[in-house]
Amino acid sequence: MNEVAIAMIECDGRWLLQLRDDTEGILYPGQWALFGGHLDPGETPEVALRRELEEEINWAGSDLAPWFEQRDDQRIRHFFRGPLAVPLESLTLLEGQDMVVAALDELLSGSIWSPKCQQRRPLAPSLQRAVQELKKERDQA
């Protein structure tokens, strides 16, 4: 079974997102997603997440804690959550076509504006799932 580790990274009350490339053959091309990716053989979710964050935005993500897990017939998604412990400007987008921070209300709209693409793009299913969890927490507060 495929396993992925993905991160909901908070930056001043907003959430860091990656716009996936418009490449045929990848999952959810051109959609907003969370940073992270597949576990390599023998990796724990924590180790995989740190590796993926280094590869994607040049940040180790050491302050991210396990949040929840989602399983279906095809994969296990390990969701992590925590603050961006470095200035946003220090990140370098190394994978994907855009990176933004978005408020929960923007996320709840189902699409986010991409400054680089100059258009609104939809949320990938894993990001939609994380947004549902954030909304549930907000509603319970």
Side-chain angles (χ1 to χ4, degrees):
M1 175 160 306
N2 271 330
E3 290 189 67
V4 296
I6 48 184
M8 196 73 184
I9 301 168
E10 186 172 3
C11 180
D12 297 325
R14 297 164 65 100
W15 303 97
L16 185 65
L17 309 176
Q18 173 200 47
L19 183 59
R20 295 181 55 79
D21 290 315
D22 285 316
T23 304
E24 204 171 308
I26 67 170
L27 281 177
Y28 314 116
Q31 295 184 24
W32 289 106
L34 299 173
F35 287 98
H38 291 278
L39 277 64
D40 285 341
E43 275 186 323
T44 64
E46 292 82 3
V47 168
L49 183 62
R50 283 192 206 101
R51 176 185 50 75
E52 287 285 345
L53 291 172
E54 284 279 355
E55 292 172 1
E56 294 176 350
I57 54 175
N58 198 28
W59 178 57
S62 55
D63 293 336
L64 301 175
W67 185 21
F68 69 94
E69 198 174 275
Q70 179 189 24
R71 295 171 180 257
D72 60 33
D73 293 341
Q74 298 184 351
R75 69 184 43 86
I76 301 170
R77 292 174 189 84
H78 303 274
F79 287 81
F80 289 77
R81 180 177 170 184
L84 180 63
V86 299
L88 183 61
E89 302 77 33
S90 70
L91 301 180
T92 303
L93 183 63
L94 302 169
E95 189 174 303
Q97 59 182 321
D98 205 353
M99 174 175 65
V100 298
V101 290
L104 179 55
D105 286 340
E106 292 175 275
L107 290 164
L108 289 169
S109 77
S111 66
I112 302 292
W113 179 258
S114 167
K116 289 188 180 171
C117 297
Q118 291 291 296
Q119 59 184 218
R120 296 186 72 78
R121 295 289 185 96
L123 309 184
S126 58
L127 177 53
Q128 291 175 24
R129 177 64 182 88
V131 168
Q132 289 173 355
E133 201 65 28
L134 287 174
K135 182 180 184 307
K136 184 168 64 173
E137 289 176 10
R138 182 190 72 182
D139 292 348
Q140 291 173 350

